[in-house]
Amino acid sequence: MPKEYRTISEVAGPLMLVKGVDGVAYNELGEIELKSGERRRCRVLEIDGTNVLVQLFESGAGINLAESKIRFLGKQMELAVSEDMLGRVFDGLGRPIDGGPSIIPEKRVDVGGVPMNPAARRYPQEFIQTGVSAIDGLNTLVRGQKLPIFSASGLPHAELAAQIARQAKVRGTDEEFAVVFAAMGITFEESDYFVQSFRETGAIDRTVMFSNLANDPAIERIATPKMALTAAEYLAFDKGMHVLVILTDITNYADALREVSAARKEVPGRRGYPGYMYTDLASIYERAGRQEGKKGSITLIPILTMPEDDKTHPIPDLTGYITEGQIILSRELHRKGVVPPIDVLPSLSRLKDKGIGEGKTRADHSGTMNQLFSAYARGKDCKELMVILGEAALTDIDKLYAKFADEFEKQYVSQGSETDRSIEETLDIGWKLLSILPRSELRRISDEFLDKYYIEEK
Amino acid sequence: MNDAVITKISGPLVVASGMKNANMFDVVRVSEQNLLGEIIEMHEDRASIQVYEETSGLKTGEKVVSTGAPLSVELGPGLIGNIFDGIQRPLTEIMKRVGNSLTRGIDVPALDREKQWVFEPCVEEGERVYGGDVIGYVQETDVVRHKIMLAPGIGGIIKEITGGTCTVEDVVAIVLDEKGTEHGVGITQKWPVRVPRPYAKKLSPDSPLITGQRVVDSLFPIAKGGVAAIPGPFGSGKTVTQHQLAKWADADIVVYIGCGERGNEMTDVLNEFPELIDPHTGKSLMERTVLIANTSDMPVAAREASIYTGITIAEYFRDMGYNVALMADSTSRWAEALREMSGRLQEMPGEEGYPAYLGSRLAQFYERAGRVVSIGKNGREGTLSVIGAVSPAGGDISEPVSQATLRIVKVFWGLDSALAYKRHFPAINWLTSYSLYANSLGKWFNENVNAEWTSLRGKIIALLSEEAQLEEMVKLVGMDSLSPTDRLKMESARSIREDFLHQLAFHEVDTYTSSDKQYMMMKLVTEFYEKSLAEIEKGKDIEEIVKLPVREKIGRFKYTAEDKAKEEFDKIIAQLEDELKEKGGSN
């Protein structure tokens, strides 16, 4: 029977100070028992002599300094894992909330995770066809990649993430897959949208959900992504499944982190977020990947909303420095009615170069990709110029570029949230668009492919 | 001293009492799990320790033992081709022993204890030797002849020396010093990472580090022994640029530090380098590379150490007389690690929470670069070039790490997200970047590549800056209202950007361009401008010049293989003259 302490001496926000404690370990899990018998969880954040600072995972309401008891459980936060988790719904701390029975664990795993030895990683290079041209053609996703969606309030990131989850496949394979979905501080409606979408495709039976909605305690969110990734690691590296993890919304997670940091009176970094936020986010994102000698993989799609559409805000900024690219949604395209409104120029997939080309997608992929990017960038410049000076100010060739940019948005990017395009369709649309421009402009594509695919004007 | 115990735990910072006898910066072993740490502050008998491993599960009252020695690295054969963590633990060996995850308290020696090396002595018994002298060789890889040096501070008469096979633990020589003490010397030595290795004298850099990257070599060159910084927002290509430099720079040894960056990037290097052939030696690139990895999910305190571990290894090879290049990606993560520890120590923060000593620490680090003459007899000349990536928050280089770095470095390659969005790579902005070596190295290029080098470079920079001004004008009045000469300037500058500066890292030919070919490319784009200008002055129509078929040839010249470059170059020059003549004059 662990020792119980009645020496809680301070409660402030999500933090609590317990005095006269001995023998507790850093990061140990604790349990507070209220007068009413209700139990809440917490963890050790700092030990200074016999004073222990703990962080609550739930609200502090009702904690009475004199009557509440706390005991330390001699273990760190754990998640009971088993294959039965598929198809179930858990709260942000990993307790079942779908009315079903509790999980009979195959084992209990520390949710903190252990860093992966970089020498044991396997470089992700298997092309995932998402059926979305702006991703497949230009910002290709590969198995084991971490590719966030940078969105903003009012943009359809949920639709895009659901579309990817629905359509994603590695062609020519028929391996076991699973989806781990973690909702952090999003609304019921948004969460339900995902559930419905998984249900429609039947993926729901292969989905593990962790749900911390907007009305759940904010502080519980700190554990949610770790829960989700622990489940994903179990499914991927113990059970050999290919796991797609969707975390939404990282912004809410970061805000919870800031709350704890502020309560601890730490020296803040930018915009009040703690200085260690980079490390903290990295400890989540870096758990994606593939390992030597293991069949499964974890592909991670975190979603975050950029406050004020600002990409330099610390949350998107630090995320971009850790993840392997980003898919950025644009309000301008959204207003134009482009679905999905992916802004391809600032979007990027760092791992695309090893995932495309002969044997993976098609030999002409790399050259056309670069050409589409540079042509679209020039076309957008031309259009800007046209707005200021009128069409007459453009040279003939610039007019063609402007036309290209328009058609590109209409035909290539805007495909709707239901269309599932194969990579060949995507590449062919690319060639059709490039053929708007004279062949001599296409310097980034080698002659071999121009001969084969360029459509000469009749 | 055994009564030292933990009294406080806060993340990677542990405070222990009963540490009166320990020294500042001693390495300590924390708890039964033997976690490695380093003392970074002392208050009476309390020592603040930064622990290089995850501290979850530690309890107060657990023991702390000082090893009495500062954090050191083991230097000797076996470094090349290896991958180490921030405190020089061999990651592949750890993987063999404990599997794919990095569990705590692993104790694996840095250099392979079993491996047999062949030691060839080059001094004889009875010879007088000093610290820094080469006493023999070990052929470490096909490319690297590892010079076995006497550690600084040891000197005397060689009493005994034996060649032949040995391991890193064996004694190969006995040195008798003045006092009559015998020192057993092996093929390795230890060196504390925070202390720069000594040298006899420092010299100014005088020759370029040839990187095969056109925008670097031609416009903003770095010297062997120089320091450069690459700041840029995420997605602007810092890492690809660093990888390109690590691949193609004409250094004898490359030390690559992945500091707080992505795990997959290290994997990429590990997969790719063994397959790539070094154009200078014809052997695999891995045979000259040492990797240090502290990826962003690995413990933050070891991140702070990784930079020092890397540069000490680099200095060791420099002392052998090699040209060493060190890439650190990214120094911002190192600075953040510093900030995190400083915050936990409750130091008064400077700008943006960074400690006040950030600038001096950075300066000390970069100052370990340079061209030096080693200590010992017949001093060997070696260079250590340092190229540090900086990841400024939001891409804004007014932040403290970028600013502190810029005060020290001589070469600044400013990455630009606008260029990256246009997929112009390397996205090094030609207007903001600079190299303070440009003039001194220009002489080298003039003498060793082509006498026209600096004048061509001058013309190219002038055209690019004129383009920037003209662009402002075009935004106001449109392209049509430019004079024909200005139109030509715009077209030529575009050709410089697209046909010369733009370079594809993933194209087999384009990924590396020799200095000779770089000269030809500069010549082509400037010849086009000058020859056309002459024609325009004679009254030729600009529209026709813009449409000359030769321009596509100039554009494709970068994909021409090195051995065919000269022939193709002559053809294009001839074609340019023909086409201009053919359609010129009368029109």
Side-chain angles (χ1 to χ4, degrees):
Chain A
M1 187 66 196
K3 247 190 199 167
E4 278 184 351
Y5 296 93
R6 287 176 176 274
T7 46
I8 301 173
S9 68
E10 274 176 43
V11 183
L15 301 182
M16 223 167 61
L17 187 69
V18 190
K19 289 197 166 160
V21 181
D22 74 358
V24 300
Y26 176 67
N27 241 342
E28 188 172 333
L29 193 65
E31 200 173 55
I32 303 152
E33 194 178 321
L34 304 190
K35 200 181 161 190
S36 60
E38 188 190 335
R39 289 173 181 194
R40 290 187 191 160
R41 285 207 255 179
C42 60
R43 81 178 166 122
V44 176
L45 217 48
E46 193 176 302
I47 311 170
D48 191 358
T50 56
N51 292 351
V52 172
L53 185 72
V54 299
Q55 176 217 313
L56 296 164
F57 280 113
E58 289 157 85
S59 113
I63 293 182
N64 176 317
L65 295 190
E67 312 258 1
S68 305
K69 293 179 282 193
I70 178 166
R71 59 178 161 268
F72 295 95
L73 305 177
K75 58 177 187 188
Q76 288 165 38
M77 190 162 241
E78 287 176 339
L79 181 70
V81 290
S82 117
E83 262 185 273
D84 298 336
M85 296 177 87
L86 290 168
R88 302 289 306 271
V89 185
F90 302 87
D91 73 355
L93 293 175
R95 296 172 292 214
I97 49 169
D98 53 0
S102 53
I103 298 290
I104 299 166
E106 184 183 316
K107 62 175 182 179
R108 292 179 183 276
V109 195
D110 182 350
V111 298
V114 198
M116 216 189 280
N117 187 336
R121 279 182 188 269
R122 234 164 86 204
Y123 198 75
Q125 45 194 349
E126 274 175 290
F127 168 67
I128 296 181
Q129 180 177 300
T130 64
V132 179
S133 292
I135 296 177
D136 291 353
L138 302 173
N139 299 295
T140 319
L141 177 70
V142 295
R143 235 180 211 175
Q145 186 172 14
K146 37 191 180 292
L147 189 66
I149 298 175
F150 286 12
S151 182
S153 36
L155 296 183
H157 47 262
E159 280 87 336
L160 179 61
Q163 186 177 10
I164 295 173
R166 221 166 39 228
Q167 300 177 352
K169 55 180 158 292
V170 172
R171 297 206 302 182
T173 57
D174 189 22
E175 288 157 315
E176 273 201 295
F177 79 99
V179 177
V180 173
F181 178 78
M184 291 170 280
I186 59 171
T187 59
F188 169 78
E189 267 172 72
E190 196 169 337
S191 159
D192 194 50
Y193 174 82
F194 279 100
V195 174
Q196 292 305 336
S197 152
F198 294 147
R199 189 161 287 148
E200 274 164 32
T201 52
I204 193 83
D205 295 335
R206 306 212 55 84
T207 301
V208 185
M209 259 190 96
F210 291 88
S211 175
N212 168 282
L213 299 184
N215 56 349
D216 291 327
I219 217 71
E220 192 182 294
R221 272 161 223 166
I222 291 191
T224 311
K226 298 191 172 77
M227 294 286 164
L229 283 156
T230 306
E233 279 172 349
Y234 165 77
L235 294 173
F237 303 133
D238 285 9
K239 296 290 157 194
M241 296 181 195
H242 293 284
V243 186
L244 178 71
V245 182
I246 298 177
L247 304 175
T248 177
D249 176 333
I250 291 291
T251 306
N252 296 330
Y253 169 79
D255 284 350
L257 209 60
R258 176 165 70 176
E259 198 180 323
V260 176
S261 169
R264 289 184 75 180
K265 302 191 174 60
E266 289 171 333
V267 179
R270 280 174 75 216
R271 297 226 184 175
Y273 291 97
Y276 50 80
M277 193 160 82
Y278 178 84
T279 313
D280 191 277
L281 288 175
S283 71
I284 296 172
Y285 298 145
E286 277 289 322
R287 287 169 80 171
R290 310 205 62 176
Q291 291 188 3
E292 281 304 336
K294 300 281 169 78
K295 215 175 107 214
S297 66
I298 299 179
T299 309
L300 177 62
I301 303 189
I303 300 174
L304 58 90
T305 46
M306 298 182 281
E308 297 161 50
D309 297 12
D310 178 12
K311 201 173 66 135
T312 67
H313 184 280
I315 300 169
D317 191 53
L318 295 179
T319 299
Y321 276 122
I322 306 163
T323 53
E324 284 139 353
Q326 66 277 336
I327 300 294
I328 298 190
L329 301 188
S330 141
R331 199 172 292 281
E332 192 197 324
L333 290 177
H334 182 57
R335 280 200 203 107
K336 278 191 197 166
V338 173
V339 182
I342 298 176
D343 194 354
V344 299
L345 295 181
S347 297
L348 169 73
S349 161
R350 290 166 190 272
L351 303 182
K352 61 176 187 293
D353 295 289
K354 303 249 161 78
I356 61 175
E358 192 139 27
K360 288 174 175 154
T361 54
R362 208 165 75 184
D364 58 319
H365 193 154
S366 169
T368 49
M369 175 179 76
N370 287 321
Q371 192 70 61
L372 283 168
F373 272 125
S374 78
Y376 180 55
R378 185 160 168 201
K380 274 185 84 167
D381 284 349
C382 294
K383 278 176 61 183
E384 236 170 72
L385 208 62
M386 207 161 87
V387 173
I388 307 170
L389 301 165
E391 205 177 335
L394 297 185
T395 59
D396 288 344
I397 189 81
D398 282 352
K399 279 179 200 153
L400 286 178
Y401 272 105
K403 183 179 167 211
F404 170 84
D406 277 333
E407 291 303 315
F408 176 79
E409 284 171 11
K410 260 184 240 158
Q411 299 184 32
Y412 197 90
V413 182
S414 190
Q415 64 178 72
S417 60
E418 298 297 325
T419 319
D420 186 0
R421 285 184 188 156
S422 75
I423 182 67
E424 287 79 15
E425 282 173 75
T426 294
L427 290 171
D428 290 343
I429 295 171
W431 276 108
K432 200 175 106 198
L433 293 167
L434 286 173
S435 303
I436 293 175
L437 302 169
R439 185 175 158 147
S440 60
E441 286 291 313
L442 308 180
R443 290 190 204 171
R444 297 195 180 181
I445 307 177
S446 69
D447 279 325
E448 180 195 342
F449 300 125
L450 283 170
D451 289 341
K452 194 164 168 193
Y453 296 106
Y454 184 76
I455 307 160
E456 296 282 352
E457 238 175 295
K458 303 257 161 63
Chain B
M1 227 172 66
N2 280 345
D3 49 1
V5 289
I6 301 178
T7 57
K8 178 179 172 177
I9 307 154
S10 168
L13 180 77
V14 165
V15 178
S17 65
M19 299 286 289
K20 210 160 216 153
N21 296 324
N23 310 309
M24 265 299 264
F25 294 115
D26 270 1
V27 170
V28 294
R29 291 285 185 172
V30 178
S31 93
E32 297 297 335
Q33 301 185 53
N34 266 332
L35 306 187
L36 266 184
E38 185 182 14
I39 299 177
I40 51 171
E41 209 177 82
M42 304 275 279
H43 291 283
E44 297 177 1
D45 76 333
R46 275 177 299 128
S48 300
I49 298 160
Q50 62 172 348
V51 180
Y52 293 129
E53 295 176 77
E54 172 60 44
T55 50
S56 288
L58 290 188
K59 293 179 178 175
T60 52
E62 290 192 79
K63 64 165 188 169
V64 175
V65 182
S66 170
T67 60
L71 183 65
S72 303
V73 286
E74 213 172 44
L75 302 166
L79 289 170
I80 301 288
N82 220 328
I83 176 167
F84 299 101
D85 77 352
I87 46 175
Q88 214 204 4
R89 286 180 300 192
L91 288 170
T92 10
E93 187 58 35
I94 289 180
M95 182 177 128
K96 276 185 214 146
R97 296 198 189 180
V98 299
N100 290 353
S101 302
L102 291 169
T103 41
R104 294 189 290 173
I106 310 161
D107 201 3
V108 182
L111 299 177
D112 192 341
R113 291 286 180 269
E114 314 279 299
K115 182 145 187 178
Q116 299 277 327
W117 300 100
V118 179
F119 174 69
E120 323 158 37
C122 68
V123 290
E124 280 164 19
E125 280 162 23
E127 209 173 314
R128 174 162 286 278
V129 286
Y130 303 92
D133 279 1
V134 175
I135 58 164
Y137 303 97
V138 165
Q139 192 71 39
E140 187 173 353
T141 66
D142 285 349
V143 181
V144 179
R145 195 164 156 83
H146 197 115
K147 296 174 186 164
I148 305 300
M149 297 175 290
L150 216 49
I154 300 178
I157 310 279
I158 297 269
K159 193 179 163 208
E160 231 181 276
I161 188 159
T162 32
T165 50
C166 62
T167 69
V168 290
E169 283 179 311
D170 293 340
V171 169
V172 295
I174 291 168
V175 175
L176 192 68
D177 71 10
E178 274 87 46
K179 291 178 196 138
T181 325
E182 290 187 356
H183 297 271
V185 176
I187 56 172
T188 62
Q189 47 180 285
K190 280 206 151 201
W191 193 262
V193 296
R194 295 187 197 277
V195 183
R197 284 177 63 87
Y199 48 81
K201 78 178 167 207
K202 208 162 197 172
L203 308 167
S204 283
D206 64 347
S207 63
L209 182 73
I210 302 287
T211 65
Q213 308 306 302
R214 295 190 287 265
V215 60
V216 172
D217 290 354
S218 301
L219 298 190
F220 312 108
I222 173 175
K224 285 201 172 86
V227 283
I230 321 180
F234 64 83
S236 58
K238 273 186 304 298
T239 302
V240 178
T241 312
Q242 287 270 38
H243 280 194
Q244 283 297 95
L245 295 175
K247 281 176 199 166
W248 307 122
D250 67 336
D252 302 309
I253 307 286
V254 170
V255 179
Y256 192 97
I257 310 171
C259 175
E261 291 289 307
R262 305 172 184 89
N264 280 331
E265 282 169 5
M266 297 315 291
T267 318
D268 191 20
V269 174
L270 278 176
N271 288 347
E272 198 177 23
F273 276 35
E275 318 255 302
L276 287 172
I277 300 300
D278 181 352
H280 311 289
T281 62
K283 300 283 180 184
S284 145
L285 277 176
M286 206 61 200
E287 294 194 9
R288 63 161 201 188
T289 311
V290 183
L291 298 174
I292 311 286
N294 177 284
T295 57
S296 57
D297 55 341
M298 283 158 77
V300 68
R303 194 163 305 160
E304 197 266 338
S306 65
I307 291 268
Y308 295 105
T309 300
I311 201 155
T312 309
I313 293 173
E315 280 177 339
Y316 172 67
F317 284 105
R318 172 205 69 189
D319 289 346
M320 292 180 204
Y322 287 124
N323 294 312
V324 185
L326 176 129
M327 284 60 190
D329 185 12
S330 147
T331 56
S332 294
R333 305 300 161 224
W334 169 79
E336 280 166 10
L338 216 57
R339 172 168 74 182
E340 187 171 339
M341 291 317 294
S342 162
R344 300 219 189 241
L345 289 169
Q346 296 177 346
E347 292 172 337
M348 187 63 89
E351 250 181 294
E352 288 194 19
Y354 287 104
Y357 45 79
L358 171 71
S360 59
R361 289 276 173 92
L362 267 172
Q364 280 161 10
F365 166 72
Y366 280 109
E367 200 47 29
R368 288 172 78 167
R371 180 162 78 106
V372 304
V373 176
S374 73
I375 56 169
K377 274 181 293 193
N378 338 314
R380 302 163 295 274
E381 198 184 298
T383 62
L384 169 51
S385 321
V386 174
I387 297 160
V390 184
S391 319
D396 174 9
I397 62 161
S398 67
E399 56 90 41
V401 183
S402 305
Q403 286 304 313
T405 306
L406 288 184
R407 286 209 300 273
I408 313 156
V409 300
K410 299 275 193 309
V411 182
F412 167 74
W413 295 314
L415 294 174
D416 186 342
S417 54
L419 288 175
Y421 295 167
K422 291 181 189 164
R423 299 312 190 256
H424 176 101
F425 287 117
I428 295 174
N429 184 315
W430 46 87
L431 298 172
T432 57
S433 302
Y434 59 79
S435 164
L436 300 181
Y437 300 116
N439 287 335
S440 59
L441 296 180
K443 247 181 260 155
W444 187 95
F445 282 108
N446 282 348
E447 284 161 16
N448 292 287
V449 184
N450 193 296
E452 278 183 288
W453 187 280
T454 40
S455 83
L456 290 179
R457 175 179 183 270
K459 284 175 194 166
I460 282 181
I461 289 186
L463 269 173
L464 287 170
S465 64
E466 277 183 81
E467 183 199 27
Q469 288 167 6
L470 287 171
E471 225 153 47
E472 294 297 312
M473 210 145 86
V474 170
K475 276 189 192 143
L476 294 174
V477 296
M479 191 68 114
D480 280 357
S481 23
L482 290 185
S483 69
T485 41
D486 283 349
R487 266 299 296 284
L488 178 68
K489 274 182 192 158
M490 290 289 282
E491 284 295 331
S492 306
R494 188 155 84 90
S495 157
I496 292 173
R497 282 190 282 115
E498 292 180 1
D499 305 337
F500 178 60
L501 296 179
H502 180 263
Q503 187 169 6
L504 278 177
F506 300 96
H507 189 283
E508 55 180 329
V509 175
D510 205 23
T511 184
Y512 176 86
T513 310
S514 69
S515 304
D516 287 323
K517 190 174 159 195
Q518 291 194 25
Y519 157 74
M520 290 183 230
M521 296 179 80
M522 287 204 280
K523 183 81 182 162
L524 281 181
V525 287
T526 48
E527 278 289 285
F528 167 76
Y529 171 68
E530 286 174 347
K531 292 259 159 68
S532 307
L533 188 64
E535 292 297 322
I536 284 181
E537 277 162 4
K538 282 188 224 155
K540 187 170 159 65
D541 186 1
I542 175 74
E543 289 302 333
E544 273 184 39
I545 291 177
V546 170
K547 286 183 191 142
L548 289 181
V550 71
R551 297 193 66 206
E552 200 185 326
K553 282 271 172 59
I554 297 176
R556 293 201 180 275
F557 182 62
K558 58 175 150 187
Y559 305 121
T560 309
E562 293 281 342
D563 53 342
K564 302 210 175 80
K566 183 73 179 92
E567 189 188 333
E568 179 72 12
F569 170 75
D570 292 336
K571 258 198 241 164
I572 297 177
I573 289 279
Q575 191 186 345
L576 174 68
E577 277 174 22
D578 283 353
E579 284 181 10
L580 279 173
K581 250 181 232 144
E582 211 172 276
K583 301 189 179 169
S586 61
N587 209 330

